[in-house]
Amino acid sequence: MKIRDVHFLTSSPRPSLFPDHGLPEFAFLGRSNVGKSSLINMLMNRHDLVKTGSRPGMTQTVNFFVLNDAISIADLPGYGYAKVPMEIRKGFLPLIKSYIQKRGNLRLVFFLVDIRRTPDDRERELLSLITRQRIPVVLTVTKSDKVPPGRRRDRLRAIAESLDVDAGALFLTSALKGTGKRELLGLIREFADGERPGP
Ligand code: GDP
Protein backbone atom coordinates (compact mmCIF):
# COMPACT_ATOMS: atom_id res chain seq x y z
CA MET A 1 0.00 0.00 0.00
CA LYS A 2 1.29 3.42 -0.91
CA ILE A 3 1.37 6.02 1.85
CA ARG A 4 0.23 9.20 0.13
CA ASP A 5 -0.57 11.24 3.19
CA VAL A 6 -0.70 10.71 6.91
CA HIS A 7 -1.61 13.28 9.52
CA PHE A 8 -2.33 13.55 13.20
CA LEU A 9 -6.04 13.89 13.94
CA THR A 10 -6.55 14.13 17.69
CA SER A 11 -5.55 12.92 21.14
CA SER A 12 -8.41 11.53 23.22
CA PRO A 13 -8.07 11.08 26.98
CA ARG A 14 -11.48 9.41 27.27
CA PRO A 15 -13.84 7.37 25.12
CA SER A 16 -16.43 10.14 24.77
CA LEU A 17 -13.77 12.11 22.88
CA PHE A 18 -12.82 9.39 20.40
CA PRO A 19 -13.38 10.73 16.87
CA ASP A 20 -16.59 9.70 15.24
CA HIS A 21 -15.38 9.47 11.64
CA GLY A 22 -16.32 5.85 11.00
CA LEU A 23 -13.16 5.13 9.00
CA PRO A 24 -11.81 1.58 9.24
CA GLU A 25 -9.42 1.68 12.18
CA PHE A 26 -6.19 -0.13 13.04
CA ALA A 27 -4.90 -0.04 16.60
CA PHE A 28 -1.37 -0.47 17.90
CA LEU A 29 -1.09 -1.77 21.44
CA GLY A 30 1.80 -2.84 23.63
CA ARG A 31 3.77 -2.25 26.78
CA SER A 32 5.63 0.98 27.13
CA ASN A 33 8.98 0.82 25.27
CA VAL A 34 7.90 -2.13 23.10
CA GLY A 35 8.79 -0.09 20.00
CA LYS A 36 5.26 1.00 19.12
CA SER A 37 6.09 4.56 18.08
CA SER A 38 9.04 3.38 15.99
CA LEU A 39 6.91 0.76 14.26
CA ILE A 40 4.14 3.23 13.41
CA ASN A 41 6.71 5.68 12.04
CA MET A 42 8.36 2.92 10.01
CA LEU A 43 5.03 1.85 8.50
CA MET A 44 4.00 5.43 7.72
CA ASN A 45 7.40 6.38 6.21
CA ARG A 46 7.87 9.07 8.81
CA HIS A 47 10.55 9.66 11.37
CA ASP A 48 8.58 11.96 13.55
CA LEU A 49 4.89 11.20 13.27
CA VAL A 50 4.98 9.65 16.74
CA LYS A 51 7.63 10.71 19.18
CA THR A 52 9.91 7.77 20.03
CA GLY A 53 11.87 6.99 23.14
CA SER A 54 9.65 9.28 25.15
CA ARG A 55 8.67 8.47 28.68
CA PRO A 56 4.92 8.23 29.13
CA GLY A 57 3.42 11.30 30.67
CA MET A 58 0.79 11.48 33.33
CA THR A 59 -2.01 12.06 30.87
CA GLN A 60 -2.83 8.94 28.96
CA THR A 61 -4.48 9.37 25.61
CA VAL A 62 -5.34 7.46 22.47
CA ASN A 63 -3.72 9.27 19.55
CA PHE A 64 -5.48 9.09 16.21
CA PHE A 65 -3.96 9.53 12.75
CA VAL A 66 -5.54 9.47 9.31
CA LEU A 67 -3.85 7.68 6.45
CA ASN A 68 -4.63 8.50 2.81
CA ASP A 69 -7.88 10.16 3.98
CA ALA A 70 -9.35 6.67 4.26
CA ILE A 71 -7.83 4.74 7.14
CA SER A 72 -7.64 5.52 10.83
CA ILE A 73 -4.63 4.59 12.95
CA ALA A 74 -5.04 4.51 16.73
CA ASP A 75 -1.94 4.63 18.90
CA LEU A 76 -3.04 3.26 22.27
CA PRO A 77 -1.17 4.27 25.44
CA GLY A 78 1.81 2.08 26.30
CA TYR A 79 1.03 0.28 29.53
CA GLY A 80 3.26 -1.08 32.26
CA TYR A 81 5.86 1.64 32.56
CA ALA A 82 7.35 1.03 36.00
CA LYS A 83 8.26 4.62 36.80
CA VAL A 84 4.75 5.96 36.46
CA PRO A 85 3.05 5.97 39.89
CA MET A 86 0.71 3.05 40.47
CA GLU A 87 -2.34 5.29 40.81
CA ILE A 88 -1.79 6.64 37.30
CA ARG A 89 -0.69 3.32 35.86
CA LYS A 90 -4.02 1.87 36.94
CA GLY A 91 -5.78 4.41 34.73
CA PHE A 92 -4.23 3.08 31.50
CA LEU A 93 -5.99 -0.23 31.32
CA PRO A 94 -9.58 1.05 31.63
CA LEU A 95 -8.95 3.41 28.72
CA ILE A 96 -7.48 0.62 26.61
CA LYS A 97 -10.24 -1.78 27.61
CA SER A 98 -13.05 0.62 26.84
CA TYR A 99 -11.42 1.43 23.52
CA ILE A 100 -11.38 -2.27 22.63
CA GLN A 101 -14.91 -2.87 23.83
CA LYS A 102 -16.53 0.16 22.24
CA ARG A 103 -14.74 0.93 19.02
CA GLY A 104 -17.11 -0.37 16.37
CA ASN A 105 -14.93 0.68 13.43
CA LEU A 106 -11.91 -1.24 14.78
CA ARG A 107 -10.78 -3.73 12.13
CA LEU A 108 -7.51 -5.09 13.46
CA VAL A 109 -5.29 -4.80 16.51
CA PHE A 110 -1.53 -5.00 16.16
CA PHE A 111 -0.59 -6.51 19.51
CA LEU A 112 3.08 -5.77 20.04
CA VAL A 113 5.56 -7.89 21.99
CA ASP A 114 9.29 -7.20 22.29
CA ILE A 115 11.26 -10.20 21.01
CA ARG A 116 13.36 -10.18 24.17
CA ARG A 117 10.42 -10.34 26.59
CA THR A 118 8.03 -13.14 27.36
CA PRO A 119 4.48 -11.82 27.80
CA ASP A 120 3.07 -11.69 31.31
CA ASP A 121 -0.40 -12.14 32.80
CA ARG A 122 -1.51 -8.63 31.97
CA GLU A 123 -0.65 -9.10 28.31
CA ARG A 124 -2.47 -12.41 28.24
CA GLU A 125 -5.48 -10.76 29.85
CA LEU A 126 -5.51 -7.97 27.27
CA LEU A 127 -5.11 -10.38 24.40
CA SER A 128 -7.98 -12.50 25.61
CA LEU A 129 -10.15 -9.40 25.97
CA ILE A 130 -9.51 -8.59 22.31
CA THR A 131 -10.13 -12.10 21.06
CA ARG A 132 -13.31 -12.39 23.17
CA GLN A 133 -14.59 -9.34 21.28
CA ARG A 134 -13.79 -11.27 18.11
CA ILE A 135 -11.50 -8.53 16.89
CA PRO A 136 -8.78 -9.84 14.58
CA VAL A 137 -5.29 -9.57 16.10
CA VAL A 138 -1.86 -9.54 14.53
CA LEU A 139 0.69 -10.74 17.08
CA THR A 140 3.55 -8.47 16.17
CA VAL A 141 7.01 -9.22 17.52
CA THR A 142 9.13 -6.06 17.59
CA LYS A 143 12.87 -5.30 17.55
CA SER A 144 13.79 -8.60 15.89
CA ASP A 145 17.22 -7.15 15.06
CA LYS A 146 18.01 -7.13 18.79
CA VAL A 147 18.28 -10.93 18.81
CA PRO A 148 20.78 -12.77 16.57
CA PRO A 149 19.07 -14.77 13.79
CA GLY A 150 20.09 -18.09 15.34
CA ARG A 151 18.27 -17.29 18.58
CA ARG A 152 15.08 -15.85 17.13
CA ARG A 153 13.31 -19.13 16.74
CA ASP A 154 13.67 -19.93 20.46
CA ARG A 155 12.35 -16.50 21.40
CA LEU A 156 9.36 -16.87 19.07
CA ARG A 157 8.62 -20.26 20.56
CA ALA A 158 8.71 -18.88 24.12
CA ILE A 159 6.45 -15.96 23.20
CA ALA A 160 4.01 -18.19 21.33
CA GLU A 161 3.87 -20.63 24.21
CA SER A 162 3.12 -17.92 26.74
CA LEU A 163 0.28 -16.59 24.56
CA ASP A 164 -0.97 -20.09 23.81
CA VAL A 165 -0.69 -19.69 20.03
CA ASP A 166 1.28 -21.33 17.26
CA ALA A 167 4.72 -19.75 16.63
CA GLY A 168 3.67 -19.43 12.98
CA ALA A 169 1.04 -16.91 14.09
CA LEU A 170 3.70 -14.37 15.06
CA PHE A 171 4.79 -11.58 12.72
CA LEU A 172 8.43 -10.63 13.01
CA THR A 173 9.22 -6.93 12.63
CA SER A 174 12.09 -4.54 13.06
CA ALA A 175 11.53 -0.80 12.81
CA LEU A 176 15.27 -0.40 12.46
CA LYS A 177 15.59 -2.72 9.46
CA GLY A 178 12.14 -2.29 7.96
CA THR A 179 11.34 -5.96 8.54
CA GLY A 180 7.65 -6.79 8.17
CA LYS A 181 6.68 -3.47 6.63
CA ARG A 182 5.26 -4.82 3.42
CA GLU A 183 3.33 -7.58 5.22
CA LEU A 184 1.78 -5.27 7.83
CA LEU A 185 0.78 -2.66 5.25
CA GLY A 186 -0.69 -5.47 3.15
CA LEU A 187 -2.81 -6.54 6.13
CA ILE A 188 -4.01 -2.98 6.68
CA ARG A 189 -5.14 -2.72 3.11
CA GLU A 190 -6.79 -6.12 3.16
CA PHE A 191 -8.73 -5.47 6.37
CA ALA A 192 -9.62 -1.90 5.39
CA ASP A 193 -11.32 -3.25 2.28
CA GLY A 194 -13.17 -6.03 4.12
CA GLU A 195 -16.04 -5.92 6.57
CA ARG A 196 -15.55 -6.40 10.28
CA PRO A 197 -16.76 -9.88 11.21
CA GLY A 198 -20.00 -9.77 13.15
CA PRO A 199 -20.28 -10.92 16.80
P1 GDP B 1 7.25 2.86 22.54
O1 GDP B 1 7.41 3.34 23.94
O2 GDP B 1 6.60 1.51 22.50
O3 GDP B 1 6.60 3.84 21.63
O4 GDP B 1 8.72 2.55 21.98
P2 GDP B 1 9.68 3.42 21.04
O5 GDP B 1 9.30 3.29 19.62
O6 GDP B 1 9.81 4.80 21.60
O7 GDP B 1 11.03 2.60 21.21
C1 GDP B 1 11.63 2.39 22.48
C2 GDP B 1 13.13 2.21 22.28
O8 GDP B 1 13.40 1.07 21.49
C3 GDP B 1 13.76 3.40 21.53
O9 GDP B 1 15.04 3.62 22.08
C4 GDP B 1 13.86 2.89 20.10
O10 GDP B 1 14.92 3.48 19.38
C5 GDP B 1 14.10 1.41 20.30
N1 GDP B 1 13.56 0.61 19.18
C6 GDP B 1 12.29 0.62 18.72
N2 GDP B 1 12.14 -0.24 17.69
C7 GDP B 1 13.34 -0.80 17.48
C8 GDP B 1 13.82 -1.79 16.54
O11 GDP B 1 13.12 -2.33 15.69
N3 GDP B 1 15.14 -2.14 16.65
C9 GDP B 1 15.97 -1.59 17.60
N4 GDP B 1 17.24 -2.01 17.63
N5 GDP B 1 15.54 -0.66 18.49
C10 GDP B 1 14.25 -0.27 18.43
Side-chain angles (χ1 to χ4, degrees):
M1 180 171 54
K2 216 169 152 135
I3 311 292
R4 278 186 284 103
D5 171 72
V6 56
H7 61 267
F8 171 76
L9 183 65
T10 191
S11 256
S12 307
R14 49 179 183 278
S16 61
L17 298 174
F18 292 161
D20 197 11
H21 49 40
L23 296 175
E25 193 158 282
F26 295 82
F28 289 79
L29 174 62
R31 284 176 64 100
S32 167
N33 209 44
V34 71
K36 183 165 53 66
S37 314
S38 304
L39 186 72
I40 295 173
N41 287 336
M42 182 267 268
L43 292 172
M44 300 298 136
N45 292 336
R46 292 276 295 269
H47 291 296
D48 55 353
L49 187 68
V50 189
K51 199 161 167 273
T52 57
S54 57
R55 293 291 157 246
M58 298 301 166
T59 315
Q60 287 302 307
T61 56
V62 180
N63 296 324
F64 294 89
F65 302 86
V66 176
L67 167 60
N68 294 348
D69 292 324
I71 288 171
S72 176
I73 301 287
D75 177 14
L76 297 180
Y79 54 92
Y81 183 54
K83 288 188 185 156
V84 171
M86 185 50 99
E87 273 313 294
I88 293 165
R89 257 197 281 165
K90 277 198 235 154
F92 297 13
L93 282 181
L95 181 63
I96 293 170
K97 286 180 178 172
S98 63
Y99 171 87
I100 288 165
Q101 283 161 343
K102 292 184 185 148
R103 203 65 181 148
N105 57 330
L106 178 58
R107 292 290 170 83
L108 193 61
V109 174
F110 292 98
F111 189 91
L112 274 47
V113 179
D114 188 318
I115 191 162
R116 298 166 300 173
R117 279 194 69 259
T118 301
D120 58 18
D121 282 347
R122 187 174 27 198
E123 283 165 288
R124 280 190 285 276
E125 185 199 331
L126 265 178
L127 183 60
S128 83
L129 177 77
I130 300 165
T131 51
R132 276 202 309 276
Q133 297 287 123
R134 310 188 73 165
I135 299 163
V137 182
V138 177
L139 298 170
T140 309
V141 177
T142 61
K143 307 190 191 179
S144 64
D145 62 280
K146 291 259 193 192
V147 169
R151 285 192 42 233
R152 284 180 198 155
R153 210 215 287 232
D154 281 352
R155 287 304 310 142
L156 292 182
R157 198 176 300 138
I159 293 168
E161 218 165 79
S162 78
L163 294 176
D164 199 19
V165 298
D166 198 278
L170 303 177
F171 271 80
L172 208 57
T173 69
S174 160
L176 192 72
K177 306 272 186 199
T179 312
K181 182 174 186 175
R182 186 203 287 257
E183 291 82 356
L184 262 49
L185 287 177
L187 284 168
I188 290 177
R189 184 165 65 182
E190 185 185 322
F191 279 78
D193 290 344
E195 290 296 314
R196 163 135 170 214

